[in-house]
Amino acid sequence: MEKLIEKALNGDARSIARLITLVESESPYAESLMKTIYPHSGKAHIIGITGSPGAGKSTLVDKMIKEMKSKGKKVGVIAVDPSSPFSGGAVLGDRLRMQQHSVDKDVFIRSMGTRGSLGGLSRATYEAALILDACGKDVVIIETVGVGQSEVDIVKIADTVCLVLVPGMGDDIQIMKAGIMEIADVFIVNKADRDGAERIATEVKMMLDLMPKRSWLPPVVTTIAEKGEGIKELCSKIEEHYFFLTNSEEGKRKKYQRLTNEVEAILAKEIARIVEDAWENMKSKELLDDLAQRRKDPYSVAKELLDNILCGGNLNV
Ligand SMILES: Nc1nc2c(ncn2[C@@H]2O[C@H](COP(=O)(O)OP(=O)(O)OP(=O)(O)O)[C@@H](O)[C@H]2O)c(=O)[nH]1
Ligand SMILES: [Mg+2]
């Protein structure tokens, strides 16, 4: 195990992949692995790319990898598989599209499933990002489909959140209404070779104008990912945002908020485990009979269980 971690920390792709598999499969080693990895992390710029299915996220990521590599950066990519079956084909497409970088030792690409118990981006994705960070990637890009909870979850992970919009898709405005406007740090209007790109860009700018002013005004970048147009500008805006984060109170606040979330997520998981174990021990046919016959009520049972945990000293953490 130590040897594996050491190799991964030195950038060995195969070892990194094995570490990610350990967190993905929720191996019993995962916790001690993360403890060892953690002090080495905190250096990478974590970028989230989110947007509707088919908006061109993977194509953008592919071109961004190229651009970042040309600047000498080591890049890690996590593509969070959309859980809905209709995008299965697209996921396969992702792998093919991004494959040209997969033999490259400075670029690491990994697909992951959205299995997390709290929905959306799983905890494993976050841990995988930390692993890539610790193993020397300068940039970690997380691609996720902006459906349901995942676009909100990505804020908890990414330093810079990019939202991809495309012309001619009515749901873009819906996405904006769903609170995503507040969380995006960079707006991308992709497929600018199609009609209506300017209009969307203007609409976004107008909506941003109406929102409470923040010290960072999210830029709106127009791209044609397929042709690599606008990618340089996009990457420089993303970098500007990182610079802003590392030099502002807002950035510090965001970082502290994320650390708070991290501790809370671990606590919630631990507490759930303790409570579940205790409930399994307490549960009996007699108790369920008592509940069914209304001799006992679930509130008092739950309270008794908690009292047992808190006073009985069986906090076996
Ligand atoms: N016309 C046009 N098509 C594009 C552009 N960028 C990407 N596409 C096409 O849009 C389709 C979807 O692109 P992807 O990069 O797979 O989109 P995605 O957002 O990653 O899709 P999912 O991962 O399934 O959500 C592909 O056929 C791309 O070739 C663009 O700038 N213009
Ligand atoms: Mg994709």
Side-chain angles (χ1 to χ4, degrees), residues 51-60 82 87 90-91 94 97 143 145 190-194 223-227:
S52 314
K57 299 177 294 295
S58 301
T59 319
L60 279 164
S87 32
V91 170
D94 274 357
R97 204 168 5 264
E143 177 191 332
V145 173
N190 189 39
K191 306 199 184 181
D193 49 327
R194 291 192 186 164
T223 57
I224 306 176
E226 242 175 9
K227 294 187 188 148

Side-chain angles (χ1 to χ4, degrees), residues 132-292:
L132 288 171
D133 175 353
C135 297
K137 301 300 171 208
D138 304 299
V139 176
V140 177
I141 305 178
I142 303 173
E143 177 191 332
T144 162
V145 173
V147 174
Q149 195 58 29
S150 59
E151 73 263 24
V152 182
D153 280 348
I154 205 167
V155 194
K156 296 186 189 151
I157 297 182
D159 300 304
T160 304
V161 176
C162 304
L163 174 65
V164 188
L165 303 168
V166 288
M169 281 178 76
D171 64 349
D172 287 340
I173 304 298
Q174 294 305 315
I175 291 175
M176 289 185 216
K177 281 188 189 145
I180 187 109
M181 288 294 283
E182 284 82 3
I183 67 157
D185 302 301
V186 175
F187 287 85
I188 305 169
V189 178
N190 189 39
K191 306 199 184 181
D193 49 327
R194 291 192 186 164
D195 286 344
E198 274 313 308
R199 191 179 54 78
I200 287 216
T202 312
E203 267 173 31
V204 172
K205 284 179 195 153
M206 274 163 52
M207 286 179 90
L208 287 171
D209 268 348
L210 295 174
M211 280 166 53
K213 290 283 164 289
R214 291 185 278 172
S215 41
W216 169 258
L217 179 69
V220 183
V221 186
T222 334
T223 57
I224 306 176
E226 242 175 9
K227 294 187 188 148
E229 282 177 31
I231 304 296
K232 257 193 194 337
E233 197 203 342
L234 172 61
C235 289
S236 85
K237 292 293 177 197
I238 290 174
E239 241 174 72
E240 252 174 58
H241 182 250
Y242 194 56
F243 184 79
F244 162 79
L245 284 181
T246 42
N247 292 287
S248 69
E249 275 306 305
E250 192 175 320
K252 199 169 168 187
R253 233 185 355 257
K254 207 169 167 174
K255 186 184 262 174
Y256 283 18
Q257 183 59 49
R258 195 196 303 168
L259 294 167
T260 304
N261 292 342
E262 247 178 275
V263 176
E264 284 174 1
I266 295 166
L267 269 177
K269 199 170 141 189
E270 282 299 309
I271 292 172
R273 187 182 58 79
I274 292 166
V275 171
E276 269 166 35
D277 288 353
W279 173 232
E280 278 309 315
N281 280 335
M282 186 190 195
K283 202 162 65 178
S284 65
K285 188 179 169 301
E286 290 74 31
L287 177 59
L288 292 171
D289 280 344
D290 285 346
L291 283 166

